[in-house]
Amino acid sequence: MAAHLKKRVYEEFSKVVQELRSLPAVCRNTFSVSAIVCRQIPHEEAPAKKLRLSKPSKSAALHIDLCKATNSTDALQYLLQFARKPVETESVEGVVRILLEHYYKETDNSVRLKIASLLGLLSKTQGFTPDCIVDDAINTLGNEKSHQVLAQLLDTLLVIGTQLPESPAVRQRLIEVACKHLSDTYFGVRIKCLQLLGCLGMVDTPLSKDNEGLGGPLGGVRDVQNIISDYFGDQDPRVRTAALKAMLQLHERGMKIHDIIYDQACRLLSDDYEQVRSAAVQMVWVLSQLYPESIVPIPSSNEEIRLVDDAFGKISHMVSDGSWMVRVQAAKTLGSMLQVSPHFLEQTLDKKLMSDLRRKRTAHERAKDLFTSGEFSSGRKWADDAPKEKLDTNTVNLIASGACGAFVHGLEDEMFEVRIAAVEALCHLARSSPSFAEKCLDFLVDMFNDEIEEVRLQSIHVLRQISTHITLREDQLDTVLAVLEDSSRDIREALHELICYTNVSTKECIQLALLELLKNLNKYPTDRNSVWKCLKFLGSRHPTLVLPLVPELLSTHPYFDTPEPDMDDPAYIAVLVLVFNAAKSCPTMPALFSDHTFRHYAYLRDSLSHLVPPLRLPGHGLDLVDSRGSGSVESAQLFLQQSLNRISTIQNLEAPGAQDLLDFTIRMKVSMLMCLSSCPSIRDLRRLGELQTELAGAADFCATYLRCQLLLMKALQEKLWNMAVPLCLKQNVTATAAAQQILEETYKLEFLYSGLDSRQVATIHHIRLQAKALQLILTARTRQGLDPLINSCEKFLQEIESFQRLFLAELPHLQDGFVDKLLELMPRLSSCKPVELVKILQTTLRQSGLLQLRLPEQIHRATATIIEPTGESDNPLRFTSGLVVALDIDATLEHVQDPQNTVKVQVLYPDGQSHVIHPKPADFRKPGPDRHRLITQVYLSHTAWTEPSQIEVRLLLAYSASSTSLSSSSKLGWSDSIDGLLPPEAAVEGTIPFSKPVKVYIMPKPARR
Amino acid sequence: AGQDVGRSCILVSIGGKNIMLDCGMHMGYNDDRRFPDFSYITQNGRLTDFLDCVIISHFHLDHCGALPYMSEMVGYDGPIYMTHPTKAICPILLEDFRKITVDKKGETNFFTSQMIKDCMKKVVPLNLHQTVQVDDELEIKAYYAGHVLGAAMVHIKVGSESVVYTGDYNMTPDRHLGAAWIDKCRPDILISESTYATTIRDSKRCRERDFLKKVHETIERGGKVLIPVFALGRAQELCILLETFWERMNLKAPIYFSTGLTEKANHYYKLFITWTNQKIRKTFVQRNMFEFKHIKAFDRSYADNPGPMVVFATPGMLHAGQSLQIFKKWAGNEKNMVIMPGYCVQGTIGHKILNGQRKLEMEGRSTLDVKLQVEYMSFSAHADAKGIMQLIRMAEPRNMLLVHGEAVKMEFLKGKIEQEFSIDCYMPANGETATVTTNPSVPVDISLNLLKREMALGGPLPDPKKPRTMHGTLIMKENSLKLVSSEQALKELGLNEHQLRFTCRVQLQDPHSDPDTLHRIYTHLKSVLKGYTIQHLPDGTVMVESIVIKVSSSAEDPNTKVLLLSWSYQVKRCHRQL
């Protein structure tokens, strides 16, 4: 064995070995390797320069260290040091051999343990296949006495096993090993064995179980699940947990768990240890999802119920468990059991109250009764809630059996984690069952009063999500609206969002809501936009309910003229927004308006067009009523498609022309034609974007792309190509500018739009490459001297390579494109001189056709609007120069991915200085899908400032070209494989301004003397 | 507290130890019935000789009111256990109680301030989940109980027997305290309070919301709100509730609480943050919730200030003191409101106005028109029937004992407990003793060698749920039990090993000679008993395992062979087959 090992070690030095064989004395030595390495040094300058090891081998170094170690503590130290440094892929095997060799000699447990763990770590090295060490590892397992080391070795085997997923032989062996050690007395070993079984146990092949101590009555053939389930009853809770986890692992790997496990798992729900219970909850859930419809008997009766209902009941029971971890788990799990029957589902909200053995009604029921009886809550009497009917003692069930009151418990839990989990579960269940949504409404509304803000916020969000199913009663609305006065902005905005989606039942509700919203507006004027928006939806949702309120709202009088309200009053605007939106679908309403209302309408329609819809007004029929029907989106889409098609036909036209290389004039004409025709289409697209917001992103994207193409064309059509170098300097300027602009536009294309697929990204990169080629040619033509040229040529070649690497899958789609042609010429390119290269580029660039852009499906442009500061304010922000002043910024971002890292705030000072500020991640909130809100403070500071002047604030989108959405960042594993990869592309970092700049007037205070 | 509420004092004898749980007084009496009857324990001689320790669950007077009386006036010098907050707050309440009885009512023969101090010197503080060894055998451990600050449940253990006493507890969390919790300690008896044995309560949130809404509305109208409270417990909860509400809603109206007791108590609430609920514990780093931002101390002159305000004032039933003064001032205005947060005893003004009386007769024949609004809002901190059941499920006791509740209600709960958990449930009346026989397990040391040998015998891993038989010798020596292998036992006791063998004679008619017969038996046995080692020894015997078979012919008849079988006492099976 030792000899074999040694040989394997030498193989690493294969280049040297032949030579060293001539040193026979050394090779017999056990410590030969160290000797060899020591001898290498003189050999290096010796004539035999065959030693090709470019760097000192890790394995060799390790071996020396290990041999030097006199006692186990030293050895452990060396190993620990060794573990800190990465190992190259090629030397892993050598290291492993040395470690194993040392392992056999080592007597100290801790050192062996460390070696075993190192083996596991090494097996994870990328590019190393650990199948060669399986045998050794299993062998060592056989001789090991220490339980801890045994456990660690099994862990190593687990790593090896997971590294070799497609080797059934190894698997089979590992499973056998695991089965053998399952009867170990040390819990750690059993846990590892179970993990092994869980990770590697095979789905189909049954295991033969013989000569095990277990030898149950089944004997013979048993499968993995059977074996694992034996350990559900283990004496050690950790092993029980591991067994459950292993079973779950099997499930995750796609193995179908037998339904007999269900009973066992249910028994574990009442285990003494929380981790077991927690795992058991998961297990029961998995089984309930696998066999929802199978029938289980109810103990102590003859009835039978569906398994999913039974499981639901059992998990509900766990919501009142002693450990809050289990409670959280159970509450979360409940939310995903959508197949449960409605009868059971409704039980979760069931709670029978009693007082002195008399049935009492819950506050919810009382509120409902009061409401239906038409009397509004008096709640003034002491014995208001006095119990009424007498209860039969036998019918009172104190122990909530099954699902009874699970959510009632969960929502009242001590830990807010449990409450949040319960609220989320309610949300999931309610979304799939309208009747349940109706029932849980009261409970959710109650949660608005929770002491922890997170819970309140969450329940508001949940209510919004289920609001399609429900109509709020007046008393419920009352409690909901009470929250509008909350001092937390998040809560208020969430609530506004909720009101946008709420249905209410009566006109009193509308009045109530309006009143509360106006109160809110009065108390927190910053909520203006959000309140208006809220009223817009409220109006458009309930036109008939608003109608009877109109005279009161607009304070009109049948006989008298009332004074004209102040148009600048936000409250009045709020009322108007409500009324106008209701009037949109209620044609009788405008008849109630007074004259000034129409004037105000005209004004608001202009100034707040996003809040005030177009109305058909009698006599004022001048307003454009949108005649676009529901089909308008489709028609716009059609139009977009058509304009794109038109461009592609131009391209097709061009194609035959392009074949004729000599016929330059035709090309010229075609290109001119294209210029002409695409200019209007760009305009078309722009206009389309304005008209149809749904398609704005796509249209914008296409237009930008076309403009890039156009610029490129124009640059190529310049006459400069025929001129002599010195003459074209002036022409060059425009071409250079064009190239630069295209580059910028491509970055915008790539990073400003979300929803691009890889083909579009490839197209963008393609045009960028063209622009770069153009730049290269231009530099070649203008600059003198070769050195910079060589540099840029090399850079360009690298770019082509990386393009090829990134978009390998997309290359077939880029046929006839620039890159396609270049790649054909690639072998020639890489070897030719820069001047030649430039020439080739020039011709290919001019020959290559236009790539057609496939119509992007769902493209959105990232946009940002700065709500605050508004930029209209005339009162300057005062500050003392030299000190810091804080400027509040409030902006909404749409379709921005990962805003925490990309969005920055730029401040431009009057003297031209600019600061870029990175907001804190906590400043971003996410009120809706694809929407973010940035509320932050920017600190301004400037030393020399005397006059009041304006600063500009804008938002930037930062990007770095290396972090393309497609290029997968290579994970650096334990081994640093940096030199193995190509050098990373030079990260091009930049920023795109994507919001309108806002000017803020700032005035320094006179400096104090 | 058997079958009634208040005056909690329970004696437990467990494993030869006597423990007193709580030492409360009855608030309703002013004579001897006020305190527990300590002569019940011992007629003469000091209590110290009889009691091993006293445990106080929380600071309410019906749980600790008789403590100075017992320790100082009756005489007890042993340890008294209570949690840190209880130890801190308890003397304040006792002192207050003493002041009222002695200074106001002019009673004599009552404990003095010095006695309270001396009594407190005997107190040993407890931490949550800390196991305290009272003596070698008795250990106690405290669990969180909710109810009031510092309330604890205690687990008392002597040997393998154990008792859990809950004191008062609350299974639903409130604004400042968490829910009671206990681990699966499986005590022999769980002694639980049962104040709300027949009640299942509604969610607290509705009530809280109603309360806040009413206060808020009144404040917005410009009215004044009076909340009469007792100094400790509910007062803090309501303070927290209003404080957070003010914070949330950005309200500006002032909140006052009357000075004195409450202020002192709030100080302790600030200190014992670890005993409060999750929210307060989490946020105290930024701000201690009991350092109220909106709540200020009340001064008598403030009552006449214009504008809205909220005032907490003592006492809770509007029968005297500051709360009554303020009430008189504000009663005339219908914009104002009084909120009664708890139960009011008959005869108090609180009780009258709750019942809708609008004209009150004050002393001196004057009448008072009550125009302000009267609201009732109850917040109770006891576990309801569901909560009690939940606790039973958590602790899994073998027996149940109900105290601190009304007999009729207990009866109902008792039935339910017996039905649901199928365990025995007791509800002794005052002075009655309930006896529970336990089935104590006796721990025995076992020698490692014996265990290992047993392990080596094979079989699956030991299953903790199944008993297993094994051979060994039990040695009782100097108060300890030991299980060792028989060889070792012999060695230790210095005894010789005696072999016990049974022999039996079987007569056979066989014409063959002795060796032949023996051989025939040997071959026969070999064919019959497969799987046993059968040897034919040269000295004319056959050995089947350890059974020896000998053949000898009888003297009188050579054809009658006598078969001698000899076996040791361990072997039986084999013989049957022979």
mmCIF file with all atom_site columns, all heavy atoms in Angstrom, chain A residues 285 288-289 312 330-339 424-425 428-429:
data_model
loop_
_atom_site.group_PDB
_atom_site.id
_atom_site.type_symbol
_atom_site.label_atom_id
_atom_site.label_alt_id
_atom_site.label_comp_id
_atom_site.label_asym_id
_atom_site.label_entity_id
_atom_site.label_seq_id
_atom_site.pdbx_PDB_ins_code
_atom_site.Cartn_x
_atom_site.Cartn_y
_atom_site.Cartn_z
_atom_site.occupancy
_atom_site.B_iso_or_equiv
_atom_site.pdbx_formal_charge
_atom_site.auth_seq_id
_atom_site.auth_comp_id
_atom_site.auth_asym_id
_atom_site.auth_atom_id
_atom_site.pdbx_PDB_model_num
ATOM 1   N N   . TRP A 1 285 ? -46.193 17.833 6.207  1.00 0.00 ? 285 TRP A N   1
ATOM 2   C CA  . TRP A 1 285 ? -46.625 18.696 5.113  1.00 0.00 ? 285 TRP A CA  1
ATOM 3   C C   . TRP A 1 285 ? -46.300 18.080 3.757  1.00 0.00 ? 285 TRP A C   1
ATOM 4   O O   . TRP A 1 285 ? -47.140 18.037 2.859  1.00 0.00 ? 285 TRP A O   1
ATOM 5   C CB  . TRP A 1 285 ? -45.942 20.059 5.235  1.00 0.00 ? 285 TRP A CB  1
ATOM 6   C CG  . TRP A 1 285 ? -46.279 20.960 4.103  1.00 0.00 ? 285 TRP A CG  1
ATOM 7   C CD1 . TRP A 1 285 ? -47.459 21.621 3.922  1.00 0.00 ? 285 TRP A CD1 1
ATOM 8   C CD2 . TRP A 1 285 ? -45.463 21.269 2.974  1.00 0.00 ? 285 TRP A CD2 1
ATOM 9   N NE1 . TRP A 1 285 ? -47.413 22.327 2.752  1.00 0.00 ? 285 TRP A NE1 1
ATOM 10  C CE2 . TRP A 1 285 ? -46.201 22.129 2.150  1.00 0.00 ? 285 TRP A CE2 1
ATOM 11  C CE3 . TRP A 1 285 ? -44.177 20.902 2.577  1.00 0.00 ? 285 TRP A CE3 1
ATOM 12  C CZ2 . TRP A 1 285 ? -45.696 22.631 0.959  1.00 0.00 ? 285 TRP A CZ2 1
ATOM 13  C CZ3 . TRP A 1 285 ? -43.672 21.405 1.398  1.00 0.00 ? 285 TRP A CZ3 1
ATOM 14  C CH2 . TRP A 1 285 ? -44.438 22.252 0.601  1.00 0.00 ? 285 TRP A CH2 1
ATOM 15  N N   . SER A 1 288 ? -48.631 15.401 3.030  1.00 0.00 ? 288 SER A N   1
ATOM 16  C CA  . SER A 1 288 ? -49.983 15.872 2.719  1.00 0.00 ? 288 SER A CA  1
ATOM 17  C C   . SER A 1 288 ? -50.046 16.407 1.296  1.00 0.00 ? 288 SER A C   1
ATOM 18  O O   . SER A 1 288 ? -51.086 16.388 0.663  1.00 0.00 ? 288 SER A O   1
ATOM 19  C CB  . SER A 1 288 ? -50.414 16.947 3.703  1.00 0.00 ? 288 SER A CB  1
ATOM 20  O OG  . SER A 1 288 ? -49.801 18.166 3.369  1.00 0.00 ? 288 SER A OG  1
ATOM 21  N N   . GLN A 1 289 ? -48.916 16.910 0.810  1.00 0.00 ? 289 GLN A N   1
ATOM 22  C CA  . GLN A 1 289 ? -48.909 17.367 -0.570 1.00 0.00 ? 289 GLN A CA  1
ATOM 23  C C   . GLN A 1 289 ? -48.819 16.201 -1.547 1.00 0.00 ? 289 GLN A C   1
ATOM 24  O O   . GLN A 1 289 ? -49.300 16.278 -2.675 1.00 0.00 ? 289 GLN A O   1
ATOM 25  C CB  . GLN A 1 289 ? -47.735 18.312 -0.821 1.00 0.00 ? 289 GLN A CB  1
ATOM 26  C CG  . GLN A 1 289 ? -47.749 19.541 0.048  1.00 0.00 ? 289 GLN A CG  1
ATOM 27  C CD  . GLN A 1 289 ? -48.994 20.384 -0.153 1.00 0.00 ? 289 GLN A CD  1
ATOM 28  O OE1 . GLN A 1 289 ? -49.290 20.812 -1.254 1.00 0.00 ? 289 GLN A OE1 1
ATOM 29  N NE2 . GLN A 1 289 ? -49.731 20.594 0.922  1.00 0.00 ? 289 GLN A NE2 1
ATOM 30  N N   . PHE A 1 312 ? -53.663 18.867 7.986  1.00 0.00 ? 312 PHE A N   1
ATOM 31  C CA  . PHE A 1 312 ? -53.953 20.274 8.278  1.00 0.00 ? 312 PHE A CA  1
ATOM 32  C C   . PHE A 1 312 ? -54.333 20.435 9.747  1.00 0.00 ? 312 PHE A C   1
ATOM 33  O O   . PHE A 1 312 ? -53.836 21.322 10.434 1.00 0.00 ? 312 PHE A O   1
ATOM 34  C CB  . PHE A 1 312 ? -55.108 20.741 7.384  1.00 0.00 ? 312 PHE A CB  1
ATOM 35  C CG  . PHE A 1 312 ? -55.366 22.212 7.442  1.00 0.00 ? 312 PHE A CG  1
ATOM 36  C CD1 . PHE A 1 312 ? -54.570 23.092 6.724  1.00 0.00 ? 312 PHE A CD1 1
ATOM 37  C CD2 . PHE A 1 312 ? -56.390 22.727 8.205  1.00 0.00 ? 312 PHE A CD2 1
ATOM 38  C CE1 . PHE A 1 312 ? -54.807 24.450 6.775  1.00 0.00 ? 312 PHE A CE1 1
ATOM 39  C CE2 . PHE A 1 312 ? -56.632 24.080 8.258  1.00 0.00 ? 312 PHE A CE2 1
ATOM 40  C CZ  . PHE A 1 312 ? -55.839 24.936 7.545  1.00 0.00 ? 312 PHE A CZ  1
ATOM 41  N N   . ALA A 1 330 ? -45.033 25.892 11.728 1.00 0.00 ? 330 ALA A N   1
ATOM 42  C CA  . ALA A 1 330 ? -46.378 25.370 11.501 1.00 0.00 ? 330 ALA A CA  1
ATOM 43  C C   . ALA A 1 330 ? -47.245 26.420 10.811 1.00 0.00 ? 330 ALA A C   1
ATOM 44  O O   . ALA A 1 330 ? -47.953 26.112 9.852  1.00 0.00 ? 330 ALA A O   1
ATOM 45  C CB  . ALA A 1 330 ? -47.002 24.952 12.833 1.00 0.00 ? 330 ALA A CB  1
ATOM 46  N N   . ALA A 1 331 ? -47.147 27.655 11.292 1.00 0.00 ? 331 ALA A N   1
ATOM 47  C CA  . ALA A 1 331 ? -47.985 28.697 10.704 1.00 0.00 ? 331 ALA A CA  1
ATOM 48  C C   . ALA A 1 331 ? -47.637 28.912 9.244  1.00 0.00 ? 331 ALA A C   1
ATOM 49  O O   . ALA A 1 331 ? -48.518 29.049 8.395  1.00 0.00 ? 331 ALA A O   1
ATOM 50  C CB  . ALA A 1 331 ? -47.816 29.996 11.487 1.00 0.00 ? 331 ALA A CB  1
ATOM 51  N N   . LYS A 1 332 ? -46.352 28.891 8.943  1.00 0.00 ? 332 LYS A N   1
ATOM 52  C CA  . LYS A 1 332 ? -45.942 29.073 7.554  1.00 0.00 ? 332 LYS A CA  1
ATOM 53  C C   . LYS A 1 332 ? -46.473 27.942 6.696  1.00 0.00 ? 332 LYS A C   1
ATOM 54  O O   . LYS A 1 332 ? -46.966 28.143 5.588  1.00 0.00 ? 332 LYS A O   1
ATOM 55  C CB  . LYS A 1 332 ? -44.416 29.076 7.468  1.00 0.00 ? 332 LYS A CB  1
ATOM 56  C CG  . LYS A 1 332 ? -43.836 30.438 7.653  1.00 0.00 ? 332 LYS A CG  1
ATOM 57  C CD  . LYS A 1 332 ? -42.372 30.395 7.322  1.00 0.00 ? 332 LYS A CD  1
ATOM 58  C CE  . LYS A 1 332 ? -41.727 31.703 7.692  1.00 0.00 ? 332 LYS A CE  1
ATOM 59  N NZ  . LYS A 1 332 ? -40.355 31.538 8.140  1.00 0.00 ? 332 LYS A NZ  1
ATOM 60  N N   . THR A 1 333 ? -46.344 26.733 7.237  1.00 0.00 ? 333 THR A N   1
ATOM 61  C CA  . THR A 1 333 ? -46.740 25.564 6.472  1.00 0.00 ? 333 THR A CA  1
ATOM 62  C C   . THR A 1 333 ? -48.231 25.591 6.136  1.00 0.00 ? 333 THR A C   1
ATOM 63  O O   . THR A 1 333 ? -48.613 25.227 5.043  1.00 0.00 ? 333 THR A O   1
ATOM 64  C CB  . THR A 1 333 ? -46.407 24.302 7.274  1.00 0.00 ? 333 THR A CB  1
ATOM 65  O OG1 . THR A 1 333 ? -45.102 24.451 7.788  1.00 0.00 ? 333 THR A OG1 1
ATOM 66  C CG2 . THR A 1 333 ? -46.474 23.092 6.415  1.00 0.00 ? 333 THR A CG2 1
ATOM 67  N N   . LEU A 1 334 ? -49.020 26.046 7.101  1.00 0.00 ? 334 LEU A N   1
ATOM 68  C CA  . LEU A 1 334 ? -50.460 26.068 6.873  1.00 0.00 ? 334 LEU A CA  1
ATOM 69  C C   . LEU A 1 334 ? -50.823 26.845 5.611  1.00 0.00 ? 334 LEU A C   1
ATOM 70  O O   . LEU A 1 334 ? -51.732 26.476 4.885  1.00 0.00 ? 334 LEU A O   1
ATOM 71  C CB  . LEU A 1 334 ? -51.161 26.717 8.063  1.00 0.00 ? 334 LEU A CB  1
ATOM 72  C CG  . LEU A 1 334 ? -51.325 25.871 9.308  1.00 0.00 ? 334 LEU A CG  1
ATOM 73  C CD1 . LEU A 1 334 ? -52.091 26.642 10.350 1.00 0.00 ? 334 LEU A CD1 1
ATOM 74  C CD2 . LEU A 1 334 ? -52.055 24.588 8.985  1.00 0.00 ? 334 LEU A CD2 1
ATOM 75  N N   . GLY A 1 335 ? -50.059 27.927 5.382  1.00 0.00 ? 335 GLY A N   1
ATOM 76  C CA  . GLY A 1 335 ? -50.373 28.768 4.239  1.00 0.00 ? 335 GLY A CA  1
ATOM 77  C C   . GLY A 1 335 ? -50.264 28.057 2.911  1.00 0.00 ? 335 GLY A C   1
ATOM 78  O O   . GLY A 1 335 ? -50.890 28.451 1.931  1.00 0.00 ? 335 GLY A O   1
ATOM 79  N N   . SER A 1 336 ? -49.478 26.999 2.865  1.00 0.00 ? 336 SER A N   1
ATOM 80  C CA  . SER A 1 336 ? -49.287 26.347 1.574  1.00 0.00 ? 336 SER A CA  1
ATOM 81  C C   . SER A 1 336 ? -50.147 25.109 1.413  1.00 0.00 ? 336 SER A C   1
ATOM 82  O O   . SER A 1 336 ? -49.977 24.358 0.465  1.00 0.00 ? 336 SER A O   1
ATOM 83  C CB  . SER A 1 336 ? -47.817 25.992 1.400  1.00 0.00 ? 336 SER A CB  1
ATOM 84  O OG  . SER A 1 336 ? -47.360 25.333 2.537  1.00 0.00 ? 336 SER A OG  1
ATOM 85  N N   . MET A 1 337 ? -51.062 24.894 2.342  1.00 0.00 ? 337 MET A N   1
ATOM 86  C CA  . MET A 1 337 ? -51.926 23.708 2.189  1.00 0.00 ? 337 MET A CA  1
ATOM 87  C C   . MET A 1 337 ? -53.243 24.131 1.569  1.00 0.00 ? 337 MET A C   1
ATOM 88  O O   . MET A 1 337 ? -54.263 24.246 2.246  1.00 0.00 ? 337 MET A O   1
ATOM 89  C CB  . MET A 1 337 ? -52.140 23.050 3.543  1.00 0.00 ? 337 MET A CB  1
ATOM 90  C CG  . MET A 1 337 ? -50.845 22.584 4.144  1.00 0.00 ? 337 MET A CG  1
ATOM 91  S SD  . MET A 1 337 ? -51.041 21.850 5.746  1.00 0.00 ? 337 MET A SD  1
ATOM 92  C CE  . MET A 1 337 ? -51.528 20.205 5.287  1.00 0.00 ? 337 MET A CE  1
ATOM 93  N N   . LEU A 1 338 ? -53.195 24.331 0.281  1.00 0.00 ? 338 LEU A N   1
ATOM 94  C CA  . LEU A 1 338 ? -54.365 24.916 -0.372 1.00 0.00 ? 338 LEU A CA  1
ATOM 95  C C   . LEU A 1 338 ? -55.449 23.895 -0.673 1.00 0.00 ? 338 LEU A C   1
ATOM 96  O O   . LEU A 1 338 ? -56.577 24.255 -0.959 1.00 0.00 ? 338 LEU A O   1
ATOM 97  C CB  . LEU A 1 338 ? -53.943 25.619 -1.660 1.00 0.00 ? 338 LEU A CB  1
ATOM 98  C CG  . LEU A 1 338 ? -52.927 26.736 -1.443 1.00 0.00 ? 338 LEU A CG  1
ATOM 99  C CD1 . LEU A 1 338 ? -52.485 27.313 -2.762 1.00 0.00 ? 338 LEU A CD1 1
ATOM 100 C CD2 . LEU A 1 338 ? -53.479 27.817 -0.555 1.00 0.00 ? 338 LEU A CD2 1
ATOM 101 N N   . GLN A 1 339 ? -55.087 22.618 -0.616 1.00 0.00 ? 339 GLN A N   1
ATOM 102 C CA  . GLN A 1 339 ? -56.092 21.613 -0.999 1.00 0.00 ? 339 GLN A CA  1
ATOM 103 C C   . GLN A 1 339 ? -57.062 21.292 0.119  1.00 0.00 ? 339 GLN A C   1
ATOM 104 O O   . GLN A 1 339 ? -57.951 20.472 -0.036 1.00 0.00 ? 339 GLN A O   1
ATOM 105 C CB  . GLN A 1 339 ? -55.429 20.301 -1.427 1.00 0.00 ? 339 GLN A CB  1
ATOM 106 C CG  . GLN A 1 339 ? -54.519 20.421 -2.586 1.00 0.00 ? 339 GLN A CG  1
ATOM 107 C CD  . GLN A 1 339 ? -53.089 20.318 -2.113 1.00 0.00 ? 339 GLN A CD  1
ATOM 108 O OE1 . GLN A 1 339 ? -52.692 20.961 -1.153 1.00 0.00 ? 339 GLN A OE1 1
ATOM 109 N NE2 . GLN A 1 339 ? -52.290 19.520 -2.783 1.00 0.00 ? 339 GLN A NE2 1
ATOM 110 N N   . GLU A 1 424 ? -49.242 35.807 6.899  1.00 0.00 ? 424 GLU A N   1
ATOM 111 C CA  . GLU A 1 424 ? -48.902 35.395 5.539  1.00 0.00 ? 424 GLU A CA  1
ATOM 112 C C   . GLU A 1 424 ? -49.681 34.155 5.124  1.00 0.00 ? 424 GLU A C   1
ATOM 113 O O   . GLU A 1 424 ? -50.167 34.058 3.991  1.00 0.00 ? 424 GLU A O   1
ATOM 114 C CB  . GLU A 1 424 ? -47.401 35.128 5.438  1.00 0.00 ? 424 GLU A CB  1
ATOM 115 C CG  . GLU A 1 424 ? -46.648 36.383 5.109  1.00 0.00 ? 424 GLU A CG  1
ATOM 116 C CD  . GLU A 1 424 ? -45.178 36.272 5.402  1.00 0.00 ? 424 GLU A CD  1
ATOM 117 O OE1 . GLU A 1 424 ? -44.708 35.147 5.677  1.00 0.00 ? 424 GLU A OE1 1
ATOM 118 O OE2 . GLU A 1 424 ? -44.510 37.316 5.387  1.00 0.00 ? 424 GLU A OE2 1
ATOM 119 N N   . ALA A 1 425 ? -49.794 33.228 6.060  1.00 0.00 ? 425 ALA A N   1
ATOM 120 C CA  . ALA A 1 425 ? -50.532 32.003 5.748  1.00 0.00 ? 425 ALA A CA  1
ATOM 121 C C   . ALA A 1 425 ? -51.985 32.340 5.429  1.00 0.00 ? 425 ALA A C   1
ATOM 122 O O   . ALA A 1 425 ? -52.556 31.815 4.473  1.00 0.00 ? 425 ALA A O   1
ATOM 123 C CB  . ALA A 1 425 ? -50.441 31.045 6.918  1.00 0.00 ? 425 ALA A CB  1
ATOM 124 N N   . HIS A 1 428 ? -52.250 33.544 1.892  1.00 0.00 ? 428 HIS A N   1
ATOM 125 C CA  . HIS A 1 428 ? -52.212 32.509 0.852  1.00 0.00 ? 428 HIS A CA  1
ATOM 126 C C   . HIS A 1 428 ? -53.536 31.761 0.769  1.00 0.00 ? 428 HIS A C   1
ATOM 127 O O   . HIS A 1 428 ? -54.049 31.506 -0.321 1.00 0.00 ? 428 HIS A O   1
ATOM 128 C CB  . HIS A 1 428 ? -51.091 31.518 1.146  1.00 0.00 ? 428 HIS A CB  1
ATOM 129 C CG  . HIS A 1 428 ? -49.737 32.099 0.934  1.00 0.00 ? 428 HIS A CG  1
ATOM 130 N ND1 . HIS A 1 428 ? -49.316 32.558 -0.286 1.00 0.00 ? 428 HIS A ND1 1
ATOM 131 C CD2 . HIS A 1 428 ? -48.713 32.315 1.779  1.00 0.00 ? 428 HIS A CD2 1
ATOM 132 C CE1 . HIS A 1 428 ? -48.102 33.031 -0.179 1.00 0.00 ? 428 HIS A CE1 1
ATOM 133 N NE2 . HIS A 1 428 ? -47.706 32.901 1.068  1.00 0.00 ? 428 HIS A NE2 1
ATOM 134 N N   . LEU A 1 429 ? -54.052 31.411 1.940  1.00 0.00 ? 429 LEU A N   1
ATOM 135 C CA  . LEU A 1 429 ? -55.281 30.634 1.945  1.00 0.00 ? 429 LEU A CA  1
ATOM 136 C C   . LEU A 1 429 ? -56.453 31.471 1.439  1.00 0.00 ? 429 LEU A C   1
ATOM 137 O O   . LEU A 1 429 ? -57.303 30.975 0.713  1.00 0.00 ? 429 LEU A O   1
ATOM 138 C CB  . LEU A 1 429 ? -55.563 30.128 3.357  1.00 0.00 ? 429 LEU A CB  1
ATOM 139 C CG  . LEU A 1 429 ? -54.571 29.081 3.857  1.00 0.00 ? 429 LEU A CG  1
ATOM 140 C CD1 . LEU A 1 429 ? -54.747 28.838 5.327  1.00 0.00 ? 429 LEU A CD1 1
ATOM 141 C CD2 . LEU A 1 429 ? -54.754 27.779 3.099  1.00 0.00 ? 429 LEU A CD2 1
#
